Each structure stands twice: as structure tokens, then as C-alpha cells.
Amino acid sequence: MASMKFYCDAERCIECNACVTACKNEHDIPWGVNRRRVVTIKDGEQGERSLSVACMHCADAPCAAVCPVDCFYTTGDGIVLHDKDICIGCGYCFYACPFGAPQFPESSAFSSRGKMDKCTFCAGGPEDDHSSEEYKKYGRNRVSEGKLPLCAEMCATKALLAGDADVLSDIYRKRVINRGASAFEWGVNQLKG
Amino acid sequence: MVYFLQEYFFNCFTRSASIILLSLSLLLPQLSNAAIPQKHEDFPQGVSAINPGSELWREVRQRDSAVTGISQVKGVETGVLINSRGGQWARFRIENPVKYAPMVLGVVFLVLVLFYVLRGKVGIEGGLSGQMVKRFTEYECIVHWTLAIVFLFLAVTGLILLVGRPLLIPLFGKEIFSLIASASKEGHNLFGPIFLVSLLMMLFSFVKRNIYEKGDLAWLLKGGGFIGDGHVSGGFFNMGEKTWYWIVILIGLVISISGLVLVSPNFGQGRLVMEISHLVHVFGAIILTAISIGHMYMGSIGTEGSLEGMKSGYVDINWVEAHHDRWAKECHENEMVISAEEYARLQGSKPDTAMEKEA
């Protein structure tokens, strides 16, 4: 069985935020909710890097462990999904998540946040595939059509990769080997002056 | 509670320390390799091909020196790339309060059952006299019962949210439990602020009589009457009641303040603030609930004549002699004791006066 993962290559990401926009558009996500975001570290300094983050579909997900109503489940493809009919909007998953992935449509007094919303790896939810209910609650279900998440599919620099973990690590390993060679060359040239 | 928090922060510290050690051990082979080509004329200082980003990622991953970035997405801590504390908080919550809260409350309950079986109801020497003294005004009774009912509601709904997943989902299934939990969450959030209001009313209406005084140490040394025979001396409130009052006020305030932080995510406080508030809230609530079970026992089936005091505001003079001898003297001096007939008339006349007012 496949284990679906995202991988974002910091040496390629150019902080164009196209993945964020594509995700919002594809799933018709309400204002204020962002299933994906791009974080830039050391902005404007030497060594600046950007990364696109969303739910990383952890194998041992802290959100699923902490949820007081047990609304999370992992699909056969290793995608972590949740049932909005069971979610009570307590926000514990947001505190537990390392990546800040869970989102809430509201944040007002008396802790009314609405049902949690997060990246589904474009795999919908527990409702019937392609039903209007599913689209309303979770957005488009691309995985059932044999497609990968749109954010990764349309990434211009191919920084954001999505798919089976083995395939992703193969691609990344090749990139690292190539970069290692060029970094070595760069180092040698530096020393030669 | 302090111990749990210490453990929590100690875990944070040891984890980051182990990451530093791990990264050091990864660096060591590279350092020794770097020493080898020193003989070579072309590379007098050696070449180390450490990934230029590795330093950065180590900083990002380490929670104590978290490097915060920026993001076009605006919101709570959107610039934080990795927040590893959250997972620790989740694990701590599951392994401590969720696991031990039912045990602590169960043990308190069993101890009281055992105490009741062994010692029975604590009676009054000579029985009830029928002569009564007014101990609490109607307002004070209303304050007490408002706080009591709101507290019980919050304790039950809070426990449903805390231990419902391991204990109630197997009974009801996820769908039905989700309805219960959702109602509990909304109810808990709405009644929480009312708890603070009634707690402040409790604070102001009872504070004068709950300041510790001279005779209280003697009460403590005699173990409140549980150790040895004979009466323990007490004023209007004895030392045990005063201590319970201050526990309610202090832990109640801690729970209320941490609860207000949790109930208003609209002020954009970070996840660490929420996690600490949650732990303070949950441990305070478990301690207060555990002690309140003892209070409920002593106020009802544990001690003869106590419940009457909070129901009507009047207590039997023999009960006062037994538990509050110093206040009993005052009652006699000020001629506050009323006869059984007078008490019956006062109790009986209440509906009449109410009807007269309506008429």
C-alpha cells in the first residue's frame, strides 16, 4: 500500500504562493481559512529559504491522538482525514499539530470556531466520492480520479512534490546527489580563489 | 500540579538537549574527515561539504530557539514552521490528566464510602433541640447554590470532554458521543463566565468571616475532630470550612482565568499560552472536583444538621454547640436563638407573605 506524502524542496521554492491560491480555488475554501501556507525564514537575509506547509499526513498524527471525539482516520493510502460531522471545533488539534495545519472558519468569544478544516491531500472526506456534500465540506476529491493534489501538480519549480513516499524520496535523493556534486565544486572554486 | 508542569518543561528541555547531542554526533565524522586532506597542498584548510541549509533547519526544528519566519497567510503563529511542543502537550494530556482524573475521583469516592461505612453519620450529642439560629441570609444561600450548581455542571461537562473518548465512545459510539461532547463544549463555554461571576459573589459575601483567627490552629492540631475524642473549638466558620473557602476562591480564580484564556481564541494568543492554560485549567479542576466531593459528603450525609443550614439558612443550636462553640456563645449572648415554634412559624409564613405581596 502506498504512503502518501508531501515534500517541499527548500532549494527550489520561490515563495510564489501559487500552491496556496490553487488550493483555495480548487476547494472553494472560505475567507480566512488557508489549508496551505508558505513560510519564509530569514526573509531578506543571506540564507533565506521558503517552504510550503500544510497537513503533512503524519503516520502517527498528534491531532488524531489528542482529538477528544476521535474524528480523525487514516485512509489506506496513508492520508489523514477527518469527519466534520463528528468534529466539535475544540481546537485541540491546532495546539497539537507541529505544522499549524488545522484551520477554523471563525474565531470569536465563547470559543466558537466552527468545524475544523484542513488539507485533505485532495482526497475528500468520509462522504460518497464526488457527492455535493463531500464537495461542500471537504472540497474536490482528486485522488479518487487518480490525480495528485493540485498544489503539487501545478508547482512551477517542482519544489512541492506529492505522492508515494518511496517515489518522492527517490526523486529527492537524485536532487541531493546532484547538488552535493555542485556544492563540492563550488567549495573547491572558493578555496582556489 | 507544579510537579506535572515541572515534568512538562523538563521534557521540553531534555528533548532539545538530545537533539543537540544527536546533531553533534552527526557533525563529528565530518570534522575528522575534514582533517585528512590537510596534507594536500591544494586544500590547506580542508573541504567540508556541509549542506549550507543544515544549520538553519536545525534552528527551525529546535523548539527553544525557534526561528520564526513570515508568511503571506495572516493568523495565529503562521510564521512558525515547526512547533514540536504541541505534540508533547498532546502526549502529556493523554498520559496524565486523561488517565489519572477518573482514578483520582474514583479513589476519593471510594474513601468516602469506606468512611461512611466505618464511622457513619457524624451525629450531634443530645440530638437536635429544635431551637434554631439564623446562620445564613437568603442571599448567601442563593450565592452558594448558584456556585454549586454551575460548578457541578462545569465539572460534569468538563469531565465528558476530558475522559469521554476512552470511557464514553465505547458505550455510545462516535456519532452520539459527538452530540454529547458538542453540547458539553458549548455549555461549558457559556457557563464558565457565570462561574466566575458567582465565585466573585461568594468571595465578597463570605470573605469577612473566613479570615483565619486565633483558635484555628487548635482546630488543625486536633485534626478537625477526626483525631481523638472531644469537641474541637470553632467560630462562625471552623478552620476546615475556612480552608475550603480559600481553596474554592483561589483554585476557582485560577480555573476561571485560565478558562477565560481558553474560551477567547479571538485575541490571537499563541499555542504555548493555550497549552499551559489548558494544563493549569485541567489540574485545578481535578483538584477542586476531588475536594468538592468531600465537601458534598460532609454537607449532606456526612454530618447531621449541616444541609439544613444551607437549605433554610437556620441551624440547630445543638449543632452550633457541637461544631462552632465560640459562635454559640455569641448566639446566646445576643439572644439569636429562636424556639421551635417561632422557627416553624417563620418557615410556614413564607408562602403567606409571598402571596400577600402578590395580592
Side-chain angles (χ1 to χ4, degrees), chain B residues 6 164 282:
Chain B
Q6 272 177 346
V282 80

Side-chain angles (χ1 to χ4, degrees), chain B residues 74 76 79 98 102 107 112 120 142 157 191 259 280 289 303 326 342:
Chain B
K74 299 303 170 207
V76 177
V98 172
V107 164
L112 288 173
I142 289 168
T157 51
F191 277 82
V280 168
T289 309
T303 317
R326 276 181 277 140
E342 177 73 7

